[in-house]
Amino acid sequence: MKNILIMSSKNGSNFEAIVKYFKNRNDINFKLLTDNKDAYVIKRAKKLGVEYFCLNKDEIRDFFLKNKFDLVIMAGFFKILDKGTIETNTFINIHPSLLPKYKGLNAIEHAYVNNDLKTGITIHYANEFVDEGEIIFQKELEVNPNWNLWKFEREVHKLEHYYYPRIIEKLLGLNVLVVGGGAREHVIAQKIKESKLLDTLYLADCNDGFSSLGNKIEYTNYQNLALQAKKRNISLVIVGSEEYLAGGLVDILNKYNIKAIGPNKKIAKLESSKLFAKKMMAKYKIKTAPYKKITSINKIDKYLSYFKNPIIKADGLAKGKGVYLSDDINSIKKELLFYLNGKFGKSSKTTLIEEKLFGEELSLFSFWDGENLLHFPLCRDFKQNDKNENTGGLASICPIEIDFDTNKKLDIYKNKLYKLLQKEKIKTPFVLYSGLIVTGDDIYVLEYNVRLGDPEAQSLLNYIKNDWLEIFFMCSIKGLDSIKLIENKKPITTIVMTSKGYPNETKKGIEIKNINSLNNKTEIYFSNIIISDNRILSNGGRVLSIVSDDRSAIYRALNAIDFSEKEYKILDS
Ligand code: AMP
Ligand code: GLY
């Protein structure tokens, strides 16, 4: 149980916003302290069933010497506390300006009288001086010059009531659930585990290679998973892969008021319906390959003849295998027939024929929080194996440098993307993954995904040195504008170890030995493995990822692993 004290001298609207925000948490106990027996906040405390104390200055000092809290929250408390008192507990305060501007009373009025066009709020640790102490969080507010004082105050308070509870939530330690069982989810879980903001990490559908990082949740259906998350006071769910998103997991979590990184079902269609994505791109003039939708085998010849180099794509999800590329028109035709006859079930009953584009591929990851779009350094995914087959990804690098002209085109693309997200009023926080190709003339979108890529995540999460839980959490509370990315000095490479035969059938249950002797320059993330009697056994195509900023160390590690089905891609150094 976390014991929290809120201090208020007056109205107490922040007090009420905080208590209400946490009303479903069964691990937090609030108390109120006021120095004003006539304060309206007492009425609010009574209504909300919060125990309160009304004390004078001397009693307050005494009170803090005797009582320890996990956090003391000042929310419109007007007495200055002396150094001795402040040092008894962790005190935080909120102030309605962008400190250090307008310390002290009437900050909003000062900004209003001065016709400031920009104001905001500051949440900071409190010390014995007024409105000083280390800043925890600031949020800017653009002022409309037509606002009267009443409207001005209301807008500032709205910001306070939204952000104060959420920043407090973060300070109290976050319970986080990571959903999914690939190497991408392993790296996400690992980075969350390293965060100083974490209280408890929970995992659903993890693989045996990283189950020891957190507490495993077994569930029967999404509703049941949401209920269990609620019971465990989970603040944030990070959803790794697309099936959950297209299946509506986030819609259910949202019903239970649980924040998630991942879109609702409607927006997940950017990935789960190629046709939906194409229509969205057309609406916002985002360049993509020309295409034709086909549902009937009668039209195969006619439609194929529209294209110079046709490729085919299942409209729906197909576990990353829905694109068929070939230079041979007859095999395209044959495959198209399979598609339309339900090779991928419902997903390929509607198929897209599209023009093949030629150029360098890039993966752009952008976090959208409902207001802000934060772009990460470009990554590259190496999808093709030695037989030129498309796989789920065999290697990745972050960052990828591009020339000045391409960068300018990328900026134009980023602006269009921002417009799309904003104009479509997309509120759901998620990771938008743009699969891009740089052709002779411009940047084109090959595909959208609504989650991190695998194996790009393994490189990206190691390249960016920020606290990743801070990034994910800020994304969930419209706070991405507070994030400044910190990059590693050297690029990061990921090489995926696969089992012979991948992307087609592979043997399972083959032991992987000599993992523990890996050099300390590499990180390892597991995907398709199981652990049985302390033995690591392969359980699918992509088995594990080795990651480092020293490529030769990666290959030394791969060499050292003893696995009879071992295959991996060699990148030029
Ligand atoms: P997807 O299944 O949509 O994720 O696409 C997977 C991969 O297929 C892409 O990363 C590209 O390598 C390839 N691809 C998809 N569309 C095209 C296209 N129009 N031209 C060339 N390659 C494509
Ligand atoms: N790297 C490809 C994907 O995650 O879909």
Side-chain angles (χ1 to χ4, degrees):
M1 191 55 86
K2 300 178 201 290
N3 287 306
I4 315 288
L5 183 74
I6 305 178
M7 301 173 75
S8 171
S9 302
K10 237 175 61 182
N11 178 298
S13 65
N14 269 309
F15 163 81
E16 180 159 340
I18 294 165
V19 173
K20 280 190 170 159
Y21 180 79
F22 290 103
K23 71 176 187 298
N24 290 323
R25 290 271 297 245
N26 53 29
D27 59 340
I28 297 182
N29 182 20
F30 286 109
K31 289 191 168 70
L32 170 72
L33 172 63
T34 181
D35 57 340
N36 173 5
K37 67 176 180 9
D38 301 319
Y40 185 70
V41 71
I42 294 178
K43 282 211 175 72
R44 295 191 199 256
K46 284 181 181 162
K47 196 180 78 190
L48 294 164
V50 173
E51 185 185 351
Y52 69 93
F53 312 93
C54 185
L55 306 175
N56 66 34
K57 200 170 174 197
D58 293 333
E59 292 168 331
I60 287 175
R61 185 179 306 125
D62 219 42
F63 176 85
F64 281 114
L65 290 174
K66 289 196 194 117
N67 292 286
K68 239 351 225 164
F69 295 94
D70 292 288
L71 188 66
V72 182
I73 298 162
M74 299 164 85
F77 187 78
F78 296 130
K79 280 215 176 57
I80 297 167
L81 300 174
D82 59 46
K83 195 162 190 286
T85 305
I86 283 280
E87 281 172 357
T88 57
N89 279 274
T90 303
F91 287 75
I92 63 167
N93 184 39
I94 191 161
H95 189 72
S97 77
L98 294 171
L99 288 174
K101 214 170 179 184
Y102 306 132
K103 290 179 191 171
L105 294 176
N106 304 325
I108 300 179
E109 284 177 26
H110 291 314
Y112 173 74
V113 168
N114 289 327
N115 296 315
D116 289 358
L117 289 176
K118 191 180 88 181
T119 184
I121 59 165
T122 303
I123 296 167
H124 63 97
Y125 289 107
N127 60 21
E128 68 272 30
F129 306 108
V130 177
D131 300 325
E132 292 198 7
E134 186 193 334
I135 290 175
I136 301 166
F137 177 79
Q138 289 192 306
K139 187 79 187 180
E140 284 183 9
L141 173 67
E142 234 176 87
V143 177
N144 178 334
N146 297 325
W147 288 349
N148 60 18
L149 179 59
W150 178 81
K151 172 78 174 158
F152 198 117
E153 283 182 337
R154 235 181 53 143
E155 290 298 320
V156 174
H157 291 319
K158 244 178 31 198
L159 270 197
E160 292 187 331
H161 299 162
Y162 179 84
Y163 284 104
Y164 209 10
R166 289 163 175 82
I167 295 300
I168 290 164
E169 183 177 23
K170 185 180 102 167
L171 293 174
L172 291 177
L174 296 165
N175 297 324
V176 180
L177 167 64
V178 175
V179 183
R184 165 185 52 207
E185 289 78 10
H186 185 171
V187 67
I188 294 171
Q190 180 66 47
K191 296 297 168 189
I192 301 287
K193 187 74 188 174
E194 289 164 12
S195 168
K196 60 181 189 319
L197 304 175
L198 181 72
D199 186 321
T200 307
L201 176 61
Y202 294 92
L203 304 168
D205 294 338
C206 61
N207 70 55
D208 291 348
F210 69 100
S211 57
S212 61
L213 290 177
N215 301 337
K216 219 168 152 177
I217 298 185
E218 306 284 353
Y219 64 97
T220 47
N221 54 36
Y222 290 168
Q223 173 95 3
N224 174 263
L225 182 59
L227 269 170
Q228 293 199 55
K230 193 91 230 163
K231 222 168 63 198
R232 291 172 168 86
N233 301 303
I234 286 171
S235 292
L236 180 63
V237 179
I238 301 169
V239 185
S241 79
E242 59 276 15
E243 309 90 63
Y244 303 100
L245 302 164
L249 174 58
V250 170
D251 305 66
I252 292 174
L253 291 170
N254 288 347
K255 259 194 217 140
Y256 285 85
N257 253 326
I258 302 168
K259 295 185 278 299
I261 302 299
N264 56 28
K265 205 169 163 172
K266 185 171 156 221
I267 302 307
K269 276 172 75 183
L270 280 172
E271 175 164 4
S272 63
S273 166
K274 307 282 181 204
L275 205 55
F276 177 80
K278 287 281 192 194
K279 285 181 181 161
M280 226 24 141
M281 288 186 254
K283 187 166 169 190
Y284 291 92
K285 302 195 164 49
I286 290 170
K287 287 195 177 167
T288 179
Y291 73 99
K292 199 98 189 120
K293 162 188 147 184
I294 179 164
T295 50
S296 151
I297 53 171
N298 302 329
K299 299 206 167 118
I300 288 184
D301 284 323
K302 183 171 161 208
Y303 281 12
L304 281 177
S305 73
Y306 292 165
F307 297 90
K308 257 196 297 212
N309 294 289
I311 64 157
I312 58 174
K313 246 179 209 188
D315 175 48
L317 295 181
K319 294 198 166 24
K321 292 178 183 152
V323 178
Y324 184 75
L325 301 149
S326 169
D327 297 332
D328 172 23
I329 189 74
N330 286 322
S331 44
I332 294 264
K333 242 190 229 175
K334 207 167 111 200
E335 198 63 21
L336 186 50
L337 204 57
F338 285 142
Y339 271 49
L340 295 175
N341 284 330
K343 175 172 181 181
F344 296 108
K346 231 177 105 196
S347 286
S348 64
K349 286 279 183 190
T350 298
T351 288
L352 271 55
I353 305 177
E354 73 175 54
E355 194 64 56
K356 183 171 179 180
L357 301 177
F358 297 88
E360 300 254 297
E361 285 188 43
L362 297 167
S363 304
L364 172 67
F365 296 94
S366 315
F367 279 50
W368 171 250
D369 69 5
E371 280 180 5
N372 307 286
L373 188 59
L374 177 64
H375 300 286
F376 284 76
L378 291 166
C379 301
R380 174 154 297 146
D381 173 13
F382 295 81
K383 279 202 167 81
Q384 258 149 29
N385 65 12
D386 298 342
K387 295 179 204 130
N388 277 335
E389 290 171 301
N390 245 15
T391 72
L394 298 173
S396 70
I397 301 178
C398 176
I400 295 294
E401 301 297 336
I402 51 174
D403 63 40
F404 183 78
D405 274 353
T406 311
N407 220 342
K408 274 208 310 218
K409 290 169 187 159
L410 186 65
D411 283 341
I412 294 170
Y413 168 66
K414 286 174 177 174
N415 284 334
K416 289 182 180 172
L417 189 56
Y418 178 74
K419 214 182 246 168
L420 184 160
L421 294 161
Q422 206 196 25
K423 288 257 165 73
E424 293 297 316
K425 298 193 170 52
I426 296 176
K427 293 290 165 225
T428 175
F430 73 111
V431 181
L432 185 64
Y433 164 171
S434 309
L436 304 173
I437 189 161
V438 186
T439 67
D441 79 311
D442 210 340
I443 291 182
Y444 285 70
V445 175
L446 291 177
E447 50 158 343
Y448 281 130
N449 297 312
V450 291
R451 37 123 190 128
L452 285 163
D454 187 340
E456 292 98 319
Q458 291 88 304
S459 292
L460 178 66
L461 271 72
N462 279 292
Y463 181 69
I464 294 297
K465 293 295 175 198
N466 296 59
D467 181 326
W468 272 94
L469 181 47
E470 172 94 26
I471 295 176
F472 284 117
F473 187 70
M474 283 303 170
C475 183
S476 79
I477 66 163
K478 286 189 258 179
L480 280 178
D481 47 338
S482 70
I483 303 282
K484 299 270 168 294
L485 295 181
I486 308 161
E487 300 183 26
N488 192 43
K489 288 201 182 72
K490 288 164 69 187
I492 303 281
T493 301
T494 298
I495 304 289
V496 179
M497 184 177 96
T498 56
S499 204
K500 259 180 216 145
Y502 176 74
N504 306 310
E505 276 306 295
T506 57
K507 279 190 207 155
K508 288 184 179 177
I510 309 296
E511 187 168 5
I512 304 159
K513 288 189 267 192
N514 226 9
I515 293 270
N516 294 333
S517 63
L518 293 192
N519 54 64
N520 60 12
K521 285 189 170 166
T522 55
E523 300 289 333
I524 182 163
Y525 303 102
F526 290 101
S527 26
N528 282 305
I529 60 121
I530 52 172
I531 297 181
S532 166
D533 296 330
N534 278 325
R535 295 184 326 144
I536 304 175
L537 306 176
S538 67
N539 197 40
R542 293 196 292 183
V543 174
L544 53 83
S545 293
I546 307 277
V547 179
S548 177
D549 61 10
D550 176 346
R551 208 173 281 173
S552 57
I554 297 178
Y555 287 111
R556 282 203 304 278
L558 283 162
N559 247 321
I561 294 175
D562 179 359
F563 174 48
S564 59
E565 298 292 302
K566 178 169 67 180
E567 276 187 347
Y568 52 82
K569 193 174 183 72
I570 310 278
L571 296 184
D572 304 333
S573 50

